[in-house]
């Protein structure tokens, strides 16, 4: 009986994922209303539950895809994978007021550049202070502090060692998680209220996953503006990381 | 037909990814450069054009809006497949660089956003869509 149910769920992965995520969202909505009296956004709680489930899945299977590594929840991998995530992000563009987006164009570009260079300097500096003093390792870890995709792409291009690559990916992942969870908490400090502020945030905070989840948990209306800028983040990072940033680092530390 | 909206979204998505890949190849980076962002710009332009020429019935719009509304559930699913174990095992270098990078960026965001004139802020309350059902759902 239970096996038949399990099979049915496993064979209809995406449908199971819809049901599971619906349940998580329902649960977090109730937690938000009953336990925090609406002070903590339901989406923020749902994302934290998602991350907790990912940790549980990772411990249980030893895989790298969180809950999606359990065959029963394989559909989560499809539902939250790059394809549907980007599809849903593009769909949110339907709500963008073109005039708003244009008004913030220049400041968005500035934020994007700062959002690549500043985390890189910090990451490379901390790597140096922990003894990773060669240009390749510093650049790879610094690039990881930009996003967890820029890190390994840069590392592969300049020939970093596997352990430095792992460290670089871990840096990017921790950053994404901090942005996801921290954004709704820091929303007031960040002055996240307007489309322009969301675009500045999208450029500086980087990582599409962090920005999109952080904004979703803060104010759903701001998501498309932040995502619009943030999606250029990885491309820009992969462009600058193995080139200008690497050469500059090399010139500085030899 | 509702599929027209979803198809429009899909075409914009594919076209954007395609242009992003081309851009990446032209720049010599082994990745997609801003594909999703380009797709978003295409969709914004398509909507503006179709609204002006009156080619966008409400039902087609719903085909896009549904996916926009599915955004948060998709993000929850995305959170559920992060490599949390690896992130936490990264040790002090990973955690410290991440925290320091986020903290510095947060300060810069706060500074830039405080330069925005309040007049702009009040004038620009974004209106997501004119579907009251979807607004309720969020």
């Amino acid at each position: 009986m239970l096996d038949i149910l399990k099979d049915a769920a496993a064979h209809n992965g995406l449908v199971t994922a819809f049901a599971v995520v619906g349940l998580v969202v329902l649960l977090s909505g109730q937690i938000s209303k009953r336990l925090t009296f609406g002070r903590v956004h339901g989406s923020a709680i749902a994302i934290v539950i998602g991350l907790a489930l990912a940790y549980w899945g990772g411990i249980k299977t030893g895989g790298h895809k969180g809950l999606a590594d359990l065959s029963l929840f394989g559909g989560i991998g499809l539902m939250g994978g790059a394809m549907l995530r980007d599809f849903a992000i593009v769909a949110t563009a339907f709500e963008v007021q073109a005039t708003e987006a244009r008004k913030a164009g220049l400041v968005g570009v500035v934020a994007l550049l700062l959002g690549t260079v500043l985390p890189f300097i910090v990451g490379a500096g901390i790597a140096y202070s922990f003894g990773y003093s060669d240009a390749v390792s510093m650049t790879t870890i610094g690039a990881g502090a930009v996003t967890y995709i820029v890190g390994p792409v840069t590392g592969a291009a300049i020939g970093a060692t596997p352990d430095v690559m792992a460290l670089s990916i871990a840096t990017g992942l921790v950053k994404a998680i901090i942005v996801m969870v921290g954004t709704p908490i820091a929303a007031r400090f960040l002055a996240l209220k307007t489309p322009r502020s969301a675009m500045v945030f999208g450029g500086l905070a980087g990582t599409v996953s962090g920005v999109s989840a952080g904004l979703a948990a803060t104010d759903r209306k701001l998501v498309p503006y932040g995502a619009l800028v943030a999606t250029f983040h990885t491309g820009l990072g992969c462009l600058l990381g193995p080139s200008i940033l690497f050469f500059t680092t090399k010139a500085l530390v030899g | 037909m509702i599929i027209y909206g979803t198809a429009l979204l899909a075409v914009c998505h594919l076209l954007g990814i395609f242009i992003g890949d081309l851009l990446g190849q032209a720049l010599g980076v082994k990745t997609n450069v801003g594909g999703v962002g380009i797709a978003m710009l295409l969709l914004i332009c398509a909507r503006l054009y179709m609204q002006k020429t009156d080619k966008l019935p409400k039902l087609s719009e719903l085909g896009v809006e549904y996916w926009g509304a599915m955004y948060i559930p998709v993000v929850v699913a995305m959170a559920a497949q992060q490599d949390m174990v690896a992130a936490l095992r990264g040790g002090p270098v990973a955690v410290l660089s991440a925290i320091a990078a986020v903290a510095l960026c947060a300060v810069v965001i706060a500074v830039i956003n405080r330069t925005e004139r309040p007049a702009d802020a009040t004038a620009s309350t974004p209106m997501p869509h004119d579907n009251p059902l979807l607004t309720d759902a969020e």
Side-chain angles (χ1 to χ4, degrees), chain A residues 64 80 94 189-190 212 220, chain B residues 47 68 71 81 83 113-114:
Chain A
H64 297 289
F94 217 56
F189 169 71
L190 299 172
S212 50
R220 167 67 178 72
Chain B
R47 191 191 69 160
Y71 175 75
Q81 52 165 317
D83 195 355
N113 281 348
R114 286 198 164 73

Side-chain angles (χ1 to χ4, degrees), chain B residues 3-52:
Chain B
I3 184 67
Y4 292 156
T6 311
L8 172 72
L9 172 61
V11 169
C12 289
H13 182 172
L14 290 173
L15 212 59
I17 302 287
F18 172 67
I19 297 174
D21 278 340
L22 281 185
L23 210 61
Q25 211 160 49
L27 294 167
V29 284
K30 289 170 238 158
T31 175
N32 186 293
V33 177
V36 174
I38 296 167
M40 291 173 93
L41 294 175
L42 287 174
L43 188 66
I44 295 171
C45 294
R47 191 191 69 160
L48 287 178
Y49 171 75
M50 290 169 85
Q51 263 177 353
K52 216 178 275 169

